[in-house]
């Protein structure tokens, strides 16, 4: 805040603090803004594909594709996802000047997702291997896509609340 060479008054100091708080809130809102829609769709499709690919990799015998083909699929979708993640993060940083941050998200949402989603996605492949029933993979795929959508909607709500 410019003081034109004059001493800062108590009212001016309060206004400067309010401006600082507004800037901090705006930066938090920007860094919590949802992914671009194209990346949200990419992420959701990736999460939905993982249980099926894991199932193909862990199957006792060739299931739908030979095991090496499943490995190629896994490596390919992971590389594509990683590249698109880098593009989305860079585009966001260029657009807003703020890096994507996880620390602004509520821990009550991110912790269960960070723990539960990998257990769901990998656990379904082990259940499939044990039972031979692909319903485990389909259920995990749908649950993962639902979790991704729910997390995205929570992102949107958080952004609206802080914007």
């Amino acid at each position: 805040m410019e003081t034109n060479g004059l001493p800062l008054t108590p009212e001016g100091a309060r206004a400067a603090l309010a401006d600082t708080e507004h800037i901090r809130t705006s930066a938090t809102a920007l860094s919590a803004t949802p992914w671009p829609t194209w990346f949200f769709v990419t992420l959701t499709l990736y999460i939905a594909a993982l249980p099926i690919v894991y199932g193909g990799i862990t199957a006792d015998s060739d299931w739908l594709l030979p095991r090496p083909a499943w490995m190629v699929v896994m490596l390919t979708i992971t590389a594509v996802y990683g590249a698109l993640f880098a593009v989305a993060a860079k585009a966001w940083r260029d657009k807003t000047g703020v890096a994507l941050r996880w620390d602004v998200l509520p821990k009550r949402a991110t912790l269960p997702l960070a723990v539960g989603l990998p257990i769901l996605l990998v656990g379904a492949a082990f259940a499939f291997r044990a039972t031979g029933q692909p319903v485990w993979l389909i259920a995990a795929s749908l649950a993962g896509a639902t979790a991704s959508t729910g997390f995205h909607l929570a992102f949107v709500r958080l952004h609206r609340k802080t914007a």
Side-chain angles (χ1 to χ4, degrees), residues 53-74:
V53 175
Y54 285 150
I57 290 170
T58 61
D60 284 332
S61 60
D62 290 346
W63 176 70
L64 300 179
L65 295 172
R67 186 170 291 158
W70 284 115
M71 292 299 290
V72 169
V73 169
M74 176 57 96

Side-chain angles (χ1 to χ4, degrees), residues 52-118:
I52 295 165
V53 175
Y54 285 150
I57 290 170
T58 61
D60 284 332
S61 60
D62 290 346
W63 176 70
L64 300 179
L65 295 172
R67 186 170 291 158
W70 284 115
M71 292 299 290
V72 169
V73 169
M74 176 57 96
L75 293 172
T76 302
I77 66 172
T78 301
V80 168
Y81 169 76
L84 291 175
F85 178 85
V87 168
K90 182 177 180 340
W92 181 251
R93 195 172 40 256
D94 291 348
K95 177 181 172 185
T96 65
V98 179
L100 292 169
R101 297 175 23 204
W102 289 99
D103 63 327
V104 297
L105 300 173
K107 300 290 184 265
R108 68 182 184 278
T110 55
L111 189 60
L113 187 71
V115 172
L117 195 59

Side-chain angles (χ1 to χ4, degrees), residues 129-140:
R129 181 180 171 97
T131 65
Q133 299 294 318
V135 70
W136 293 102
L137 304 176
I138 295 165

